[in-house]
Amino acid sequence: MKFWVAAAAACTLLAACTHTPTKPSTAKATKSFNFAEDPYPSTYAALPSRSVLIRHATVLTGTGERIDDGDVLLRNGQVAAVGHDLAVPDDAHIVEANGKWVTPGIIDVHSHLGVYPSPGMNAHSDGNEATQPVTPNVWAEHSVWPQDPGFSTALAAGVTTLQVLPGSANLIGGRGVTLKNVPATTYQAMKFPGAPWGLKMACGENPKRVYASRGPSTRMGNVAGYRAAFADAAEYMKKRNSDGEEGGKRDLKNDTLAGALHGDIRVHIHCYRADEMSTMIDLSKEFGFKIAAFHHAVEAYKIADKLSKEGICGALWADWWGFKMEAFDGIQENVALVDRVPGSCAIVHSDSAEGIQRLNQEAAKVIANARRVGIPVTPEHAIQWITLNPAKSMGIDQRTGSLEVGKMADVVIWNGSPFSSYALAEHVYIDGAEVYDRSNKSLQPKSDFLLGQDLMTGGAR
C-alpha cells in the first residue's frame, strides 16, 4: 500500500512519469470508524416563534458587555440584533422592558434532572449504573424521564439548556446528554441538536465507597481502573480505525472511550482535590484525551493557573464544602480565585434539582465572596459563569450562551438584576419561542405527572 502511494506521489512530481500505476484491486480501503455516530438522534424542532423586540432593558450579553437602555431583537429563532434604539420591524411584537434585565438563557453543565427526578423514588432513580466501576457503555439519555417536574421548575428559573450526567458512583459512569429545556414526551425531542456527548468520570471517595468490597477500594485502585480502561480503548480504537467495519465485534464500552480519545466526546470529571485533579491531567496526557471540566473541584483554587494553562473549566459550587473528607478544604472564594486567572473558565453549576432553580443567586454569592477578599466582579462578567462558560465546556458556545447575532435566541427577561435575592425570571425564550411567562399560566408548562394533582390537594399551590 505504501509503495503505491509513494509511486503515485512521485508521478505527480516527475513529468517523466508516463503512466500511473493501477491500484491493486485487492487493496483494503482504510476507514476511520465513527465512534460518535448517534443511533438515537435528536428530533428537537424549535417551537413556532414570532419576531420579538425587547426594548429599554439592561442587557448583559454574556460576552462581558453591559448595555444600559438596550434593545434585543429576536427573529427566526435567532438573536437578530443587540444594541441601542433598534429599528422596529413591521412584524415585531414589542416588549417594553424598562427596569428589567435581559440575559442569555441559563445553562447548567451538571444536572441530574430526568435521571433522578423530583419527587424522587426508587422506581425512577436511574442515575447510577453502580454494578461495576467502569460503565462507559451506559448513556444518561436512556434514563431521562421527560416528565420530571424539575424541568419546568428549572425553566421558571431561566434555565434553557442543561447537561444531564450519570451520577458519580463509578470511575467511568457513562455518557451525559445535553438537552434544550422544552416540554416533550421523549428525550430525543429535547436533545440539543448536534451537541457533543459528555463522558462522566469520578475521582476519589465515591468509587472507593461504592466498590469497597469488590474494588477499587483505594485511590491507587481508582487510577489503575482508569488506565486499564483507556489502554483497552486505545487498542480498540487503533483496530477499528485501521479495519473499519471489519474491526471485529463492537464493544460499547470502548466505543465511548474511543470517542473521548478522538475528541468527539467531552470528558467531565467529578474531582474535589487538587492533587487528584493533577493526576487526572497526567492521565489525560498519557492516553491523549482532553478534559473539558472538573466538576465540584473544591480545591480548584490551589491549581487555578494549571487549569487555565490546560484549558480546563472549573464547574464549581458557590459555597458547598466540608460534607465529606475530600471536600474539607473548600473555601468560599474558590470560584473567584479560579476566575481571576487570565484565560480561565469558571462555571457555577448546580448538581441539584433545587440548586438549578437558583443558579443566578449562587453566582450572586460568588460576587459577594469575591468582594469580601477585594476582588470586584461586575454583573456583565459574572453572568458568563452561568451562560457562556458552561456552553464552552459543553461544546455548544458557537450556538448559544451569549446574546450575539446568529446565535439561538435563548433569552431571559428578569424583573431586576439577576444577582438580586429578589430576582425572578419573568419571560423565557428558547429559539425565539416564548416558553415561560410568569404572569400567564398558559405559558407555565406543567409535567403530565402533575396534571390533576392540584385537584387532590385542594387546588394549585
Side-chain angles (χ1 to χ4, degrees), residues 350 352-359:
S350 79
S352 162
E354 292 186 355
I356 197 172
Q357 301 171 37
R358 300 174 180 82
L359 277 173

Side-chain angles (χ1 to χ4, degrees), residues 108-112 162-166 168 200 270 295-296 315 349-352 356 394:
D108 191 2
V109 69
H110 191 125
S111 175
H112 299 301
L162 63 161
Q163 177 173 236
V164 178
L165 292 166
S168 53
K200 176 69 179 300
H270 154 126
H295 292 224
H296 311 336
H349 70 346
S350 79
D351 188 24
S352 162
I356 197 172
M394 296 155 67

